[in-house]
Amino acid sequence: MPNALIFGVTGQDGAYLARLLLEKGYVVSGAHRRGRETQTAGLCELGIADALQLLSVDYHNENEMTSLIESVAPDEIYNLAAQSSVAQSFQIPVETSLINGVFVARLLEIVRQKAPQARFFQASSSEIFGAVDNSLLCESTPLRPRNPYGTSKAYAHHLVRNYREAFGLHASCGILFTHESPLRGPQFVSRKVTLAVARIKNGLQDELVLGNTDVSRAWGFAGEYVEAMWRMLQQTHATDFVIATEQVRTLRTWVALAFETVGLEAEKYLRTDAQLLRPNDSFVMRPDSSKAQQMLGWKAQLKAEELVKMMVEADMRRVVESRCEIQ
């Protein structure tokens, strides 16, 4: 059976990827950062918490990382570990740089020395493109990140290409555009919206407060994006791919769809606050995923309307269950 190691397994993408690999017959090990409370809610919700080996490791300790790679001896390594909040990256730029950039350098070097045969996936981000005009974004688009998160991801993106070209590693980056799911953390705007809608519908909240609602994103489903990650590592030659749905929606549309799911009008509950605006926000992100469609045979299927509905319904269940527990 193939052996996979996932860094960041307790996050949204890690949980969906672990489930996919287990379904494909992999032995799956998942690493998470020592010193933080292990959050297994996503793994439990997908019913796989007991089906994989969870490993605690200090991401900044080279000896521990080396021992981990040697003991697992993985055929495939997926790095999904990150400080993944753009807004928070302005508040903690050093930590963001360490986990999103320096950690990747450390991991690649250990792989080069101890597991050069392993196939390596790096979760890159559309934020590496930064300031863009209205043109389509593809694998050859110049990188001009506009925030600490995007800058750290761009550094890691270049590192992966360097190790692929200089040392022959089978190392690829998936340039992931916005992708969501019911497992998305409540600190992210997509889930902030769906959770607020569920709470408002149940009389637990009065309004939804957001910053700029005119930003546009290609809202995709994380459960589909992990399939693309796996397909990338099955290719004979490593390369990078834009992974995205090409359906672009504004945040205002996302909000309207969420409220429609529960039969409410967004205008009655939505309030904007200038203090929530991000510095240097990217307004329009229009991806070109044709390379993934042609070479991987992968294309996003779930529409934004279906994704919003899925997330609102999941949060409605959670809110109702939590109220029952309190009573």
Side-chain angles (χ1 to χ4, degrees):
M1 291 186 292
N3 187 358
L5 173 59
I6 303 171
F7 288 92
V9 72
T10 58
Q12 166 189 258
D13 292 6
Y16 280 109
L17 178 61
R19 183 177 70 175
L20 175 74
L21 296 178
L22 288 167
E23 290 172 348
K24 292 182 179 296
Y26 279 66
V27 174
V28 179
S29 299
H32 61 92
R33 276 186 276 180
R34 179 178 300 125
R36 296 193 173 194
E37 183 181 355
T38 305
Q39 303 290 337
T40 60
L43 298 172
C44 292
E45 191 160 332
L46 296 183
I48 60 170
D50 297 327
L52 69 159
Q53 182 182 23
L54 278 176
L55 303 166
S56 173
V57 64
D58 180 352
Y59 283 4
H60 304 301
N61 186 308
E62 186 172 342
N63 290 332
E64 280 194 31
M65 291 292 297
T66 300
S67 296
L68 174 66
I69 297 294
E70 289 179 326
S71 62
V72 175
D75 301 300
E76 297 174 7
I77 299 171
Y78 297 85
N79 181 36
L80 311 180
Q83 192 299 100
S84 53
S85 168
V86 172
Q88 196 171 13
S89 74
F90 283 102
Q91 301 167 7
I92 51 170
V94 174
E95 182 179 343
T96 299
S97 299
L98 288 173
I99 189 62
N100 293 1
V102 175
F103 169 70
V104 179
R106 179 177 293 111
L107 182 54
L108 283 167
E109 184 60 14
I110 294 171
V111 171
R112 182 185 72 83
Q113 295 181 24
K114 302 297 182 180
Q117 79 294 336
R119 298 190 171 195
F120 183 89
F121 172 86
Q122 166 66 17
S124 194
S125 167
S126 59
E127 289 290 335
I128 64 178
F129 295 126
V132 295
D133 54 24
N134 204 35
S135 60
L136 292 175
L137 303 173
C138 66
E139 293 78 8
S140 60
T141 300
L143 310 187
R144 296 189 291 266
R146 303 186 72 194
N147 52 64
Y149 170 79
T151 301
S152 65
K153 282 290 189 176
Y155 169 61
H157 186 86
H158 285 308
L159 275 175
V160 172
R161 188 189 68 230
N162 293 160
Y163 270 74
R164 180 170 68 227
E165 295 175 353
F167 303 116
L169 292 186
H170 192 295
S172 301
C173 287
I175 307 172
L176 306 170
F177 279 65
T178 307
H179 51 290
E180 317 292 345
S181 77
L183 302 185
R184 191 63 141 155
Q187 71 272 28
F188 293 93
V189 69
S190 58
R191 179 81 192 292
K192 177 181 179 180
V193 170
T194 61
L195 183 57
V197 167
R199 289 177 56 80
I200 289 170
K201 181 65 176 179
N202 283 275
L204 301 175
Q205 188 169 324
D206 297 325
E207 61 182 3
L208 168 62
V209 183
L210 298 174
N212 180 14
T213 58
D214 292 324
V215 294
S216 296
R217 295 291 184 267
W219 309 90
F221 175 43
E224 293 180 341
Y225 284 37
V226 297
E227 172 75 25
M229 299 177 191
W230 174 78
R231 291 191 183 196
M232 287 175 62
L233 296 200
Q234 311 316 305
Q235 303 301 298
T236 302
H237 302 289
T239 186
D240 305 325
F241 291 91
V242 165
I243 305 301
T245 176
E246 295 179 2
Q247 302 175 65
V248 177
R249 301 284 191 277
T250 64
L251 175 56
R252 185 172 296 275
T253 298
W254 180 273
V255 171
L257 291 170
F259 276 102
E260 286 174 11
T261 300
V262 296
L264 297 177
E265 296 180 15
E267 292 77 12
K268 294 182 178 179
Y269 304 96
L270 176 62
R271 182 170 66 84
T272 57
D273 184 346
Q275 294 185 3
L276 297 179
L277 296 176
R278 292 178 186 169
N280 297 330
D281 209 347
S282 300
F283 284 79
V284 181
M285 306 290 278
R286 298 178 59 237
D288 175 5
S289 61
S290 58
K291 181 179 176 181
Q293 294 177 37
Q294 294 165 9
M295 294 184 63
L296 302 179
W298 179 90
K299 185 176 182 178
Q301 300 296 325
L302 197 69
K303 292 179 169 39
E305 293 80 359
E306 299 170 296
L307 177 58
V308 174
K309 186 173 185 290
M310 176 196 301
M311 293 176 64
V312 170
E313 290 177 345
D315 278 328
M316 286 288 288
R317 289 193 298 272
R318 291 169 179 142
V319 168
V320 171
E321 289 170 0
S322 64
R323 292 187 72 177
C324 291
E325 290 174 1
I326 292 173
Q327 295 171 356

